[in-house]
Amino acid sequence: MAQQKISGQQLVDYTVMAIIWGFSFLLLRRVIEGFGWVGAVSFRAFIASALLIIFARIGKKSLNFSIGWKPFAVVGATTVAGQLIGMTYAVPQIGTAMAAIFVGAIPIFSMIIGQIWGIEHLNKRGQFGLFLGLAGVVMLVGFPQEPFTKQFIIGCAASVFGSFSAAFGSNYARLRLQQVGSWEQTIGAFFFGGLFTLPLMIFVPLPRIPGMSDIGFLILLAALVSSLCYVLYFRMVAAVGATRAISIEFVVTVIAVTIGALILHERLSILQLIGGAVIILGCSLVLDLIPRMRTN
């Protein structure tokens, strides 16, 4: 079966998500300072869900949650809670650029899950790409520019956990929420994501009393990075599939790494940069994005 071509509107959505998610790491670092890594996830999730409900009421948009709460809870626990907890915890530990490169490995995990569930099928190029992607992850973790500390290892583990959670939740949404609107998916996923992460604040309380600027950054993060982008993302997952939609993380990685290097002055070793390139090459082979050479 031929792959469905991405439409012009989907290309616009893809570009908007890539730019916003790429720059979101700067905003995320600021929100973590005010709310801590747990509060940044839980409050962000509740606000994102609430904003969409408010906009739906204002726009008189009907919402249908008749499928029941369980599928939303699974996506909320993985795509929202698991992914955002992993990424939000990792950013202060290993830096924006390093965390962003791990994000680029999400399509690898998506393809593995898709293979196991019978959603995706790998040819020899794809199998080789999968091997390259896993090798790239090893290069990222094994050859850091900074000292190889316990903090670094835990940060990398959190990034891998977050990436795997994102891939799992996206494939699950493709299977179980195919007929559910992207607004409902985003509202339900972020509500349960906030609900599941809220109890963690017992162990990781707010670092200080948030100021008005902290609250403003949090609302901006929730409105743009979560509410808007995830409505577009879940719509794309339903249209073109989880792995193709999640390939946006390649572009997000490039933007975020550039920001980390130019604005935040973060350093990566040569082997880590090569590892990031290997991951992107591997994912490109898995997704069949590289043209095949014609033979006579």
Side-chain angles (χ1 to χ4, degrees):
M1 181 181 296
Q3 290 191 117
Q4 178 183 353
K5 292 185 178 180
I6 294 179
S7 68
Q9 181 59 56
Q10 289 168 344
L11 184 59
V12 172
D13 292 348
Y14 197 98
T15 303
V16 169
M17 287 188 292
I19 293 173
I20 293 177
W21 277 344
F23 278 88
S24 69
F25 286 89
L26 287 177
L27 195 56
L28 179 61
R29 291 175 68 98
R30 181 64 179 79
V31 172
I32 293 172
E33 292 175 5
F35 294 90
W37 60 274
V38 172
V41 174
S42 188
F43 295 151
R44 165 188 177 180
F46 282 131
I47 293 173
S49 182
L51 285 175
L52 285 179
I53 293 175
I54 292 171
F55 292 146
R57 290 289 181 87
I58 293 175
K60 297 183 179 179
K61 178 181 177 61
S62 60
L63 299 173
N64 184 356
F65 297 96
S66 59
I67 192 174
W69 63 271
K70 290 183 180 179
F72 296 112
V74 173
V75 177
T78 52
T79 300
V80 177
Q83 178 186 195
L84 297 186
I85 281 290
M87 182 175 65
T88 305
Y89 178 82
V91 167
Q93 310 300 322
I94 61 177
T96 297
M98 184 73 172
I101 293 178
F102 273 111
V103 165
I106 293 177
I108 290 288
F109 293 119
S110 180
M111 183 60 76
I112 293 174
I113 295 170
Q115 282 281 112
I116 295 173
W117 290 359
I119 303 173
E120 310 278 359
H121 301 283
L122 284 179
N123 54 26
K124 289 185 178 180
R125 276 164 52 103
Q127 292 172 356
F128 180 64
L130 187 61
F131 171 78
L132 283 180
L134 294 175
V137 172
V138 172
M139 293 177 71
L140 279 179
V141 177
F143 304 95
Q145 176 72 24
E146 303 298 331
F148 198 82
T149 62
K150 179 180 179 181
Q151 172 182 312
F152 175 81
I153 296 174
I154 295 176
C156 289
S159 289
V160 171
F161 172 75
S163 296
F164 180 83
S165 296
F168 183 96
S170 295
N171 278 278
Y172 182 87
R174 172 71 170 177
L175 278 178
R176 295 296 306 275
L177 297 172
Q178 177 78 18
Q179 305 304 319
V180 178
S182 58
W183 281 62
E184 288 89 340
Q185 289 188 51
T186 308
I187 291 170
F190 274 94
F191 171 77
F192 280 104
L195 196 64
F196 291 147
T197 54
L198 187 62
L200 295 177
M201 294 195 67
I202 297 175
F203 308 100
V204 187
L206 296 178
R208 55 181 169 82
I209 299 177
M212 292 302 297
S213 62
D214 297 318
I215 296 173
F217 283 121
L218 176 64
I219 294 175
L220 187 61
L221 183 70
L224 291 181
V225 181
S226 297
S227 295
L228 172 62
C229 284
Y230 274 87
V231 166
L232 300 179
Y233 175 71
F234 282 128
R235 185 169 68 188
M236 186 169 289
V237 168
V240 303
T243 300
R244 293 188 73 198
I246 215 167
S247 67
I248 192 174
E249 303 297 358
F250 299 154
V251 187
V252 172
T253 295
V254 172
I255 294 173
V257 168
T258 302
I259 290 172
L262 297 181
I263 299 179
L264 302 176
H265 307 293
E266 295 177 345
R267 297 186 302 167
L268 294 171
S269 69
I270 296 299
L271 285 177
Q272 283 180 305
L273 291 173
I274 294 174
V278 168
I279 289 174
I280 293 177
L281 174 61
C283 289
S284 298
L285 289 173
V286 166
L287 294 171
D288 204 20
L289 299 178
I290 299 177
R292 300 170 184 267
M293 296 182 61
R294 294 184 178 181
T295 56
N296 295 328

